[in-house]
Amino acid sequence: MNTHSDMQAGQDTALPGPTTSKTRLVVNGTERVLEVDNRTTLLDALREHLRLTGTKKGCDHGQCGACTCFVNGQRVNSCLSLAVMHDGDEITTIEGLGTPEDMDPLQAAFVAHDGFQCGYCTPGQICSAKATLEELRAGIPSHVTKDLLANPPLSPEEIKERMSGNICRCGAYANILEAVLDVAEAR
Amino acid sequence: MKDSATPDAVARPLPHDAARLHVTGAARYVDDIPVPANCLHLAFGLSDTAHGRIAGMDLDAVRAAPGVVAVFTADDLPFANDVSPSIHDEPLLADGTVHYVGQPVFAVAATSHLAARKAVRLGKLEIEPLPALLTIDDALAANSRFEDAPRVWGKGDAAAAIAAAPHVTEGSIEIGGQEHFYLEGQAALALPQEGGDMVIHSSTQHPTEIQHKVAEALGVPMNAVRCEVRRMGGGFGGKESQGNALAVICAVAARATGRPCKMRYDRDDDMVVTGKRHDFRIAYRVGHDAEGRLLGIEFVQYARCGWAQDLSLPVADRAMLHADNAYSLDNVRIESHRLKTNTQSATAFRGFGGPQGMVGIERVLDHVAHAVGRDPLEVRRLNFYADMPALRAGGGLSAPPQPAAASPEDISEAKMEDGLDLASRGAAAEIPAEGHPEVAAGGIQTTPYGMAVEDCIVNALVDRLAESAGYAARRQAVADWNAANPLLKRGLALTPVKFGISFTLTHLNQAGALVHVYQDGSIHMNHGGTEMGQGLFQKVAQVAAARFGVDVSAVKITPTDTGKVPNTSATAASSGSDLNGMAVQAACDTIRGRMAEFVAGLHQADPATVVFSGGEVRVGGEVYAFAKAAALCYQNRISLSSTGFYATPKVSWDRIAGRGRPFFYFAYGAAVSEVVIDTLTGENRILRADLLHDCGASLNPALDIGQIEGGYVQGAGWLTTEELVWDERGRLRTHAPSTYKIPAVSDRPDIFNVALWDGENREATVYRSKAVGEPPLMLGISVLMALSDAVAACGGPDAPYPALDAPATPERVLASVKRVRG
Ligand code: FES
Ligand code: FES
């Protein structure tokens, strides 16, 4: 695999092997075949090649969570993953969760609780929230889980910990938390 | 024609506009707009030197890099090489000299974003270093500053009052800057049109500024450029002037290549290139009595402005204008130094200097309370402005908004020919004071700049908050807890906010709107304000819906567009809904008046008796659906389209003398924060926050509460975790969220109570509401003061004052604990 670092960027390093690859992704249930530069992130593949711009780029560093989407049901920061690593994988983005006419319960809860201001972090927040609830339901403990043998509770503390990788610069955390708790309790 | 008693659409907690689009990823930001296949992508080559002469530039490898279509240096620009919002001191591309690490030196247009970014790294810049001024002390030593000398304002005789005072307390606080970290980075897209016209999509708070700078750079009149902004993914002031460079280089490249051009900064570039909140040092000397009453006070404010003037003068002015915060000061002197350094050009950031000025005086109150050994809240109360009775200005119950009689003024034609950027706050220094600033007559409490404080509610507001937050009991509980806990210490603080609302460059306090009613009764609304998450579009749509008595869903919110509403001011200074709401109201009322007159004529009724409410138009005994009334008007050739305009009345001041009424009114608020610190590591947390804030008669309580919470979080972040670090070569080392800590959901206090003060604006603002964008940020100052309280709890009765600087990172808290423990 070619690596991309500042030092090499742009220089014709002429490494052996092909510099692009054909990658097959199943995105929101539809098979898509891409021919991309090996160094293309999953995020750029989604945004720039598949024109699925719902997944946002906040930092491109794995530090803000705006690019969160699902790979085979697990949440990932898509800016930290290369598209070519996902040949054959199932990708779900915010567009795959629901549409303005037919929203996922979490999407509806974010509308009901006005869980955003500028909205730029929102797709990532919703994907992360969905994963958070699923991880909790599957009994996966977190850093703040007190009893590792019991099922972790659907508490604000657990949710805050698990959502702490998703920055909201507008500080809409209160409403985000309410939206997630609402759906957590409804289950 | 009558307003319905309770307007249908205002004062309702509706969600943001486009809510369903946001949650499904369908809301488009600049980088999401589909572009033609031949679109080029741009990147800047940046200076790696803080100050130096460009001796050579070898860009051959850049030109030869894959995908590169064009390369631009200062020599390739056909017209103005300037993106400054003030005094033309900010070249788009460095011209002979570089002034900071991160300054754009050349630009590349390539077939992809990645290709452009890779290509710029191949540029070889030969820069001969010159001495660089990086810090406040460097700049002071070299007398490197904007304006010829410090600004000095005052009231009474501070020096004499301090000399005569029984006690004198003095000190100094360092206040760090703040990175905006709008989650959507800077972005622009230029689409060339026929005949040399240019359409720009920009993530900007100031479309008119973009239009103006692009026109200058293309050598065309402003009517050849149209700027459109649907929304931003956050702005916070960082998109008032900092987007100019991207829009201008895109336009220049689009003109040169004939292809659409797009640019967005990579996050690290964004943080390295763009300006931030000004960092300040504020030194103070205070004379006071044994109770803590302030008798005389002197401030010296040092603002680190960076390399270009940008908006620094009005920022520093606003810091001076908030040096009093909510405290009545009879003898005060404020000196302000605007220092020029080889760092990013510091710029607007929510509060625009106000927060720094306010931290200065809150620090003084905290220090004085420590000196006299009293609870800081008691000392604060002792010094508040007096509350004023809740009379409406002018005495009338609903005086119609009347723009102040405009006195035609010849504003320096010579400078206008010079291309003065009239629509920018940066023009402050260039425009003479308007009219004769009014200074309140004797006997009325006034600010240090002579403005009467007629709307003060801070005493009642603080009383209510202290009560609801249980301040007194918790003060005792914290003391008891601290007595029992040697390692962890708690701290508690209540701080007030009084924030002046209006642009301090008076002529910017104007706004325009354009409203159409279609023959099916649907409404198209446009105004000069931009949406960055503050909920402006929804609030203004509520105003439009209320004027026509229809549901807000009947109002189509449309992107801000310089082709629809011209000569707009930046969406800034918290003024968005005040100004644009009034302009939209004026446009709606014009149309409504025509409709009322027509339908009244059908029934021989008085137009004043026509009622617009509940989606209906009622006249005499007749009821028309609003759509039916619109169709009738259309068929009878009644115009259903109107512009609207608003100019804020009453404001006028002289910024050089520091005298007059820069603000239409003040917005108030207060916060209680409780924190805990670990005295072994300095780590700390906010345990509980109680906020009470004044939005007048809120247009939309849900959106306003969101602004208050978000403002508090951002203010607390500024003063605690968000630390900007430059190294000795002037390189910003904290250029990503990995090294620059922004508050996360896990930092939110477990107990977080937010309430709105249930008053209404004394002045005739839109539905008597108050601006809410910036003021709540300063509620976060309570966190810094609570940390100071916790540190103070580590020392004995004679321990020194904690003198905690901001941001109060664990390192600073720990150092402060050590100081206090001796
Ligand atoms: S863009 Fe991927 S984490 Fe920020
Ligand atoms: S809503 Fe703006 S970043 Fe979260």
Side-chain angles (χ1 to χ4, degrees):
Chain A
M1 187 180 75
N2 290 341
T3 56
H4 174 188
S5 77
D6 290 353
M7 298 306 293
Q8 294 172 322
Q11 286 168 30
D12 193 2
T13 46
L15 292 178
T19 58
T20 67
S21 303
K22 186 172 264 181
T23 304
R24 192 185 64 94
L25 305 173
V26 181
V27 182
N28 299 329
T30 306
E31 182 174 292
R32 311 289 295 262
V33 178
L34 295 174
E35 177 81 35
V36 291
D37 186 302
N38 293 340
R39 294 163 295 187
T40 304
T41 62
L42 177 58
L43 175 61
D44 285 343
L46 291 169
R47 287 185 55 84
E48 289 171 16
H49 296 266
L50 300 176
R51 300 264 164 110
L52 287 168
T53 53
T55 308
K56 301 302 183 198
K57 182 181 283 188
C59 68
D60 224 3
H61 274 288
Q63 297 287 340
C64 76
C67 63
T68 307
C69 64
F70 293 91
V71 174
N72 299 330
Q74 302 240 317
R75 59 173 159 170
V76 299
N77 284 336
S78 58
C79 69
L80 286 188
S81 199
L82 297 176
V84 294
M85 296 159 62
H86 295 291
D87 193 37
D89 284 351
E90 294 208 15
I91 315 292
T92 306
T93 69
I94 188 76
E95 291 94 341
L97 290 189
T99 63
E101 297 73 36
D102 181 19
M103 295 187 288
D104 177 90
L106 258 168
Q107 292 172 320
F110 268 67
V111 173
H113 291 276
D114 204 27
F116 51 84
Q117 290 180 19
C118 77
Y120 207 77
C121 70
T122 311
Q125 300 279 2
I126 291 175
C127 288
S128 240
K130 203 169 173 61
T132 289
L133 296 183
E134 274 155 23
E135 287 159 18
L136 278 165
R137 214 166 22 169
I140 301 171
S142 81
H143 181 62
V144 298
T145 309
K146 301 219 164 61
D147 181 353
L148 296 183
L149 299 176
N151 267 351
L154 284 171
S155 64
E157 201 194 4
E158 283 283 352
I159 293 172
K160 279 160 70 171
E161 168 63 19
R162 289 162 197 263
M163 300 277 296
S164 63
N166 288 78
I167 291 176
C168 176
R169 186 46 156 168
C170 298
Y173 295 127
N175 293 353
I176 292 171
L177 205 54
E178 271 172 36
V180 181
L181 277 168
D182 206 14
V183 175
E185 280 155 16
R187 285 188 180 177
Chain B
M1 144 189 74
K2 277 188 186 159
D3 290 336
S4 49
T6 39
D8 303 312
V10 291
R12 282 180 54 198
L14 298 173
H16 284 78
D17 81 284
R20 285 168 177 261
L21 302 185
H22 282 305
V23 301
T24 54
R28 275 187 191 155
Y29 302 80
V30 170
D31 195 32
D32 304 335
I33 297 172
V35 291
N38 67 343
C39 183
L40 297 177
H41 301 260
L42 274 56
F44 282 131
L46 306 177
S47 165
D48 62 359
T49 307
H51 191 199
R53 205 180 61 77
I54 302 176
M57 225 190 290
D58 176 1
L59 303 180
D60 288 348
V62 181
R63 289 195 176 85
V68 171
V69 173
V71 176
F72 301 88
T73 66
D75 294 337
D76 302 310
L77 304 176
F79 294 96
N81 178 15
D82 177 61
V83 291
S84 158
S86 51
I87 54 165
H88 306 295
D89 62 343
E90 198 172 330
L92 166 66
L93 297 173
D95 198 1
T97 310
V98 291
H99 299 275
Y100 75 102
V101 176
Q103 181 174 358
V105 177
F106 65 95
V108 169
T111 50
S112 75
H113 181 73
L114 195 57
R117 294 202 65 223
K118 282 157 72 172
V120 294
R121 308 239 178 193
L122 303 176
K124 293 195 184 71
L125 301 181
E126 198 187 316
I127 298 176
E128 291 169 359
L130 295 167
L133 308 174
L134 301 176
T135 63
I136 286 173
D137 291 319
D138 291 349
L140 278 173
N143 194 32
S144 169
R145 60 176 72 242
F146 296 101
E147 298 189 302
D148 45 352
R151 292 256 80 79
V152 180
W153 301 347
K155 183 176 113 177
D157 187 341
I162 295 169
H167 301 273
V168 175
T169 294
E170 53 191 310
S172 170
I173 180 169
E174 306 283 330
I175 307 166
Q178 187 176 24
E179 161 63 32
H180 301 85
F181 207 88
Y182 23 65
L183 207 61
E184 176 213 19
Q186 304 277 353
L189 168 65
L191 302 168
Q193 309 292 306
E194 62 177 27
D197 291 357
M198 196 64 70
V199 170
I200 308 282
H201 293 270
S202 168
S203 183
T204 179
Q205 294 171 239
H206 199 347
T208 291
E209 174 79 5
I210 297 286
Q211 177 194 23
H212 177 87
K213 299 313 289 189
V214 167
E216 277 183 355
L218 297 182
V220 297
M222 285 172 78
N223 69 5
V225 180
R226 193 169 69 75
C227 178
E228 185 177 316
V229 184
R230 176 56 185 89
R231 61 172 63 82
M232 283 162 271
F236 315 118
K239 293 175 178 170
E240 181 164 345
S241 62
Q242 303 299 299
N244 293 359
L246 299 89
V248 169
I249 192 65
C250 283
V252 167
R255 163 63 66 82
T257 60
R259 294 165 69 166
C261 287
K262 176 158 114 171
M263 183 175 209
R264 66 174 160 76
Y265 286 159
D266 174 74
R267 176 60 65 180
D268 294 67
D269 285 353
D270 200 318
M271 291 184 74
V272 165
V273 174
T274 64
K276 303 158 201 327
R277 186 189 292 285
H278 292 69
D279 36 5
F280 268 63
R281 173 186 301 158
I282 299 182
Y284 52 89
R285 203 164 71 89
V286 200
H288 55 91
D289 66 15
E291 265 82 59
R293 208 169 275 108
L294 305 182
L295 304 172
I297 185 163
E298 289 173 351
F299 283 111
V300 187
Q301 301 180 338
Y302 304 93
R304 194 175 66 137
C305 302
W307 72 284
Q309 186 169 300
D310 190 75
L311 307 173
S312 289
L313 302 191
V315 166
D317 289 350
R318 193 172 272 269
M320 298 174 81
L321 291 166
H322 288 81
D324 60 335
N325 193 17
Y327 308 99
S328 186
L329 308 173
D330 290 332
N331 296 291
V332 51
R333 182 180 186 279
I334 309 157
E335 180 178 312
S336 166
H337 297 256
R338 295 90 197 264
L339 301 168
K340 184 173 180 173
T341 52
N342 294 108
T343 48
Q344 291 83 351
S345 181
T347 191
F349 196 136
R350 202 173 190 178
F352 205 69
Q356 293 94 321
M358 219 178 268
V359 167
I361 181 88
E362 289 305 331
R363 165 60 173 271
V364 165
L365 270 299
D366 194 59
H367 196 168
V368 168
H370 186 269
V372 300
R374 297 187 68 189
D375 178 347
L377 178 56
E378 291 169 18
V379 175
R380 289 191 164 94
R381 280 180 160 138
L382 208 53
N383 290 287
F384 282 153
Y385 286 109
D387 282 7
M388 300 300 272
L391 274 185
R392 280 180 171 181
L397 260 182
S398 52
Q402 285 298 334
S407 46
E409 196 101 21
D410 173 15
I411 316 179
S412 169
E413 224 172 78
K415 277 173 182 152
M416 286 169 69
E417 277 169 19
D418 203 13
L420 175 59
D421 200 350
L422 284 171
S424 163
R425 293 202 259 186
E430 312 287 317
I431 295 188
E434 291 172 49
H436 303 285
E438 232 182 274
V439 175
I444 298 174
Q445 59 181 355
T446 59
T447 63
Y449 43 93
M451 176 174 164
V453 182
E454 300 168 307
D455 57 4
C456 184
I457 51 170
V458 73
N459 299 275
L461 189 144
V462 163
D463 286 351
R464 189 188 301 172
L465 177 66
E467 177 73 35
S468 68
Y471 181 89
R474 284 166 62 201
R475 168 58 65 206
Q476 188 57 49
V478 164
D480 294 347
W481 196 88
N482 284 342
N485 285 276
L487 296 184
L488 301 182
K489 296 288 179 189
R490 292 193 177 191
L492 182 70
L494 185 157
T495 59
V497 171
K498 163 181 139 290
F499 191 76
I501 302 298
S502 286
F503 284 105
T504 57
L505 179 53
T506 302
H507 80 252
L508 297 181
N509 295 293
Q510 58 170 307
L514 176 66
V515 174
H516 309 315
V517 176
Y518 292 98
Q519 51 188 294
D520 64 354
S522 64
I523 297 161
H524 173 112
M525 179 194 76
N526 197 271
H527 54 78
T530 55
E531 177 64 47
M532 58 195 113
Q534 82 279 43
L536 171 69
F537 279 13
Q538 183 71 305
K539 279 184 167 183
V540 178
Q542 286 175 255
V543 170
R547 299 321 281 177
F548 289 116
V550 298
D551 190 79
V552 70
S553 63
V555 180
K556 171 67 82 184
I557 291 167
T558 59
T560 317
D561 184 335
T562 57
K564 285 185 181 169
V565 175
N567 307 322
T568 56
S569 297
T571 307
S574 306
S575 67
S577 23
D578 278 10
L579 296 176
N580 296 290
M582 282 304 230
V584 162
Q585 176 170 310
C588 294
D589 287 358
T590 302
I591 299 171
R592 195 177 70 163
R594 294 186 199 131
M595 293 177 75
E597 192 169 308
F598 169 70
V599 296
L602 293 178
H603 298 272
Q604 288 82 44
D606 178 354
T609 63
V610 178
V611 174
F612 290 75
S613 178
E616 295 171 344
V617 180
R618 293 195 287 276
V619 53
E622 196 68 46
V623 177
Y624 297 96
F626 182 78
K628 175 73 183 164
L632 276 177
C633 287
Y634 165 67
Q635 284 162 7
N636 286 277
R637 298 188 286 176
I638 305 296
S639 166
L640 291 173
S641 173
S642 178
T643 58
F645 184 76
Y646 176 71
T648 312
K650 298 186 179 178
V651 284
S652 149
W653 76 303
D654 175 348
R655 68 169 283 274
I656 302 302
R659 303 294 285 163
R661 179 174 184 170
F663 304 123
F664 189 25
Y665 62 89
F666 295 103
Y668 295 85
V672 181
S673 292
E674 183 172 342
V675 300
V676 62
I677 63 170
D678 181 330
T679 59
L680 297 180
T681 63
E683 287 170 294
N684 55 79
R685 273 177 50 194
I686 308 173
L687 298 172
R688 171 171 171 181
D690 294 79
L691 319 182
L692 179 58
H693 196 80
D694 160 37
C695 302
S698 170
L699 285 176
N700 182 322
L703 293 179
D704 285 353
I705 285 177
Q707 285 298 297
I708 294 164
E709 289 178 349
Y712 173 86
V713 168
Q714 205 168 56
W718 166 46
L719 295 171
T720 57
T721 63
E722 297 186 32
E723 185 179 33
L724 292 162
V725 179
W726 285 265
D727 66 14
E728 67 293 339
R729 287 167 54 190
R731 294 177 301 182
L732 178 68
R733 303 324 308 242
T734 49
H735 51 77
S738 46
T739 44
Y740 182 79
K741 170 73 176 98
I742 291 161
V745 65
S746 42
D747 297 315
R748 185 175 178 272
D750 287 334
I751 307 175
F752 198 173
N753 299 316
V754 184
L756 298 181
W757 175 258
D758 50 358
E760 58 172 32
N761 199 337
R762 192 174 176 280
E763 301 292 346
T765 50
V766 60
Y767 289 99
R768 299 277 173 183
S769 62
K770 283 194 181 184
V772 68
E774 293 162 294
L777 181 123
M778 286 149 270
L779 298 174
I781 296 171
S782 57
V783 178
L784 181 64
M785 296 304 145
L787 287 167
S788 174
D789 187 50
V791 173
C794 299
D798 297 323
Y801 178 65
L804 192 55
D805 288 332
T809 56
E811 291 89 329
R812 288 208 180 85
V813 169
L814 188 60
S816 197
V817 166
K818 289 203 170 128
R819 189 158 50 241
V820 164
R821 286 193 166 152

